[in-house]
Amino acid sequence: MSDQVAPRVVDAPLSSPAPAAGLLEVFRRRYLLKLLVQREISARYQGSVLGFLWSYINPLSQLFIFWFVMGKIMDRGTENFAIHVFCGLIIVHFFVETFNAGTRSIVRNKALVRKMAMPREMFPVASMVVSLYHMGPQLIIMVLICVGLGWTPTVVGMAGFVLATAIVMLLGTALALMFACANVFFRDVGSFVSILTNFVRFGVPMIYPFTMVEERFGEMSRFYLFNPIADAVLLVQQAFWVGTTDNPTDTQAHHIPDHLFAYSFLALGISIVALVIGQTVFRRLENRIPERLS
């Protein structure tokens, strides 16, 4: 008489084989996020002789152009104008790269989306982390130049820089989530976002000082500060550019708006709300993504 093994019965609730979704799940799978980020960075410099050095060469060339063309030839009249512009350029580039790359992230990784069980929010988030990674060389260059001009860090300035980075991280990811879904259904969205981000550089006090906005619009200029990216740019200028001028106290009073931190915390709140909306939109549409990628 042969022995028969009794079937094993597991008393457990049924669960979906689909991957758990949501931004929290993305950060629970940090190892997978790390692999995606490394893959994006490696792909960008694949076949390049100089490789990661381009991350330093590009911002240095832009800084030289702003210093020579706008500071020397055009003589904009703003002290250390190249640093003023470069502060804005760092934040704007971080936002634009996060928004653009995040919008295309799902379509660009459609093979992984169809084959691997992972939260699909992973791809826009990975694009944001890659953009943050590329901000590092720009920040190093700016710190070195500012130190050479007599700048010393302050607690308020560094707190402002952290706040500015948080605003752009949240807002950029929120928009990337929403537009990444839209780009799956309508491929023209990626081109539309590229055009839209061209206006960002002119909607922040980067190539012009905030005082110019106050002079032109008076009391109405406070509505300008409801733009989270404009607040982030001003926070970075306060953290770095102000300290390189001959009279930082006078520069702070003249060029940095009053109650900047109040507007910036409002911008942080707007960015958090936008992220919640972006996550909600993404969750409602994500089940239709694989069929539209096939």
Side-chain angles (χ1 to χ4, degrees):
M1 183 175 179
S2 61
D3 295 333
Q4 294 184 351
V5 179
R8 184 182 177 187
V9 178
V10 179
D11 185 15
L14 296 175
S15 60
S16 172
L23 291 171
L24 291 179
E25 187 63 24
V26 170
F27 291 101
R28 288 194 190 102
R29 303 191 184 194
R30 289 186 295 274
Y31 180 71
L32 186 55
L33 178 62
K34 179 182 176 182
L35 290 180
L36 276 177
V37 170
Q38 290 175 340
R39 176 175 172 268
E40 290 283 336
I41 294 172
S42 298
R44 176 167 298 195
Y45 299 110
Q46 187 175 14
S48 173
V49 175
L50 296 178
F52 187 68
L53 284 176
W54 285 112
S55 296
Y56 292 89
I57 295 171
N58 286 334
L60 271 173
S61 64
Q62 292 181 64
L63 182 61
F64 174 78
I65 290 169
F66 285 122
W67 170 78
F68 184 73
V69 175
M70 294 187 172
K72 298 299 181 181
I73 297 178
M74 298 177 65
D75 190 16
R76 298 302 299 267
T78 301
E79 189 177 357
N80 293 336
F81 184 71
I83 302 298
H84 179 278
V85 175
F86 200 54
C87 288
L89 188 67
I90 288 175
I91 284 296
V92 168
H93 188 265
F94 179 26
F95 173 75
V96 167
E97 187 177 353
T98 298
F99 194 7
N100 278 325
T103 297
R104 294 178 169 85
S105 60
I106 292 180
V107 172
R108 192 174 61 243
N109 294 282
K110 60 183 179 181
L112 291 176
V113 174
R114 290 199 301 258
K115 295 177 181 178
M116 292 189 65
M118 67 172 70
R120 298 184 182 104
E121 293 93 339
M122 187 81 70
F123 299 100
V125 172
S127 296
M128 181 274 292
V129 177
V130 171
S131 302
L132 182 63
Y133 177 80
H134 285 124
M135 190 174 76
Q138 301 173 27
L139 184 61
I140 291 171
I141 289 170
M142 184 169 67
V143 168
L144 291 176
I145 293 175
C146 288
V147 169
L149 292 173
W151 170 84
T152 55
T154 63
V155 174
V156 172
M158 292 303 97
F161 175 74
V162 172
L163 179 57
T165 305
I167 290 170
V168 177
M169 287 174 63
L170 294 171
L171 185 60
T173 304
L175 294 175
L177 284 170
M178 285 186 276
F179 282 84
C181 283
N183 193 46
V184 171
F185 296 95
F186 307 100
R187 300 301 164 85
D188 292 336
V189 169
S191 300
F192 170 74
V193 169
S194 296
I195 295 173
L196 185 64
T197 52
N198 288 333
F199 293 93
V200 175
R201 294 176 178 83
F202 299 96
V204 299
M206 182 176 72
I207 58 177
Y208 54 86
F210 176 73
T211 48
M212 186 176 293
V213 179
E214 287 185 310
E215 291 169 1
R216 298 290 191 277
F217 300 102
E219 286 297 318
M220 297 294 290
S221 63
R222 68 180 184 273
F223 294 105
Y224 180 91
L225 296 174
F226 289 137
N227 176 0
I229 307 301
D231 296 330
V233 168
L234 285 164
L235 285 171
V236 177
Q237 289 173 349
Q238 178 180 251
F240 296 99
W241 169 67
V242 168
T244 67
T245 59
D246 292 336
N247 191 336
T249 303
D250 184 62
T251 303
Q252 172 79 23
H254 187 62
H255 289 284
I256 304 299
D258 296 332
H259 313 299
L260 176 59
F261 272 94
Y263 283 105
S264 299
F265 278 111
L266 176 61
L268 183 66
I270 292 171
S271 301
I272 293 172
V273 171
L275 186 63
V276 172
I277 294 172
Q279 171 70 101
T280 302
V281 171
F282 195 94
R283 290 290 298 274
R284 292 195 174 190
L285 296 175
E286 67 171 339
N287 290 333
R288 298 169 57 190
I289 287 175
E291 65 184 49
R292 296 305 295 261
L293 290 175
S294 57

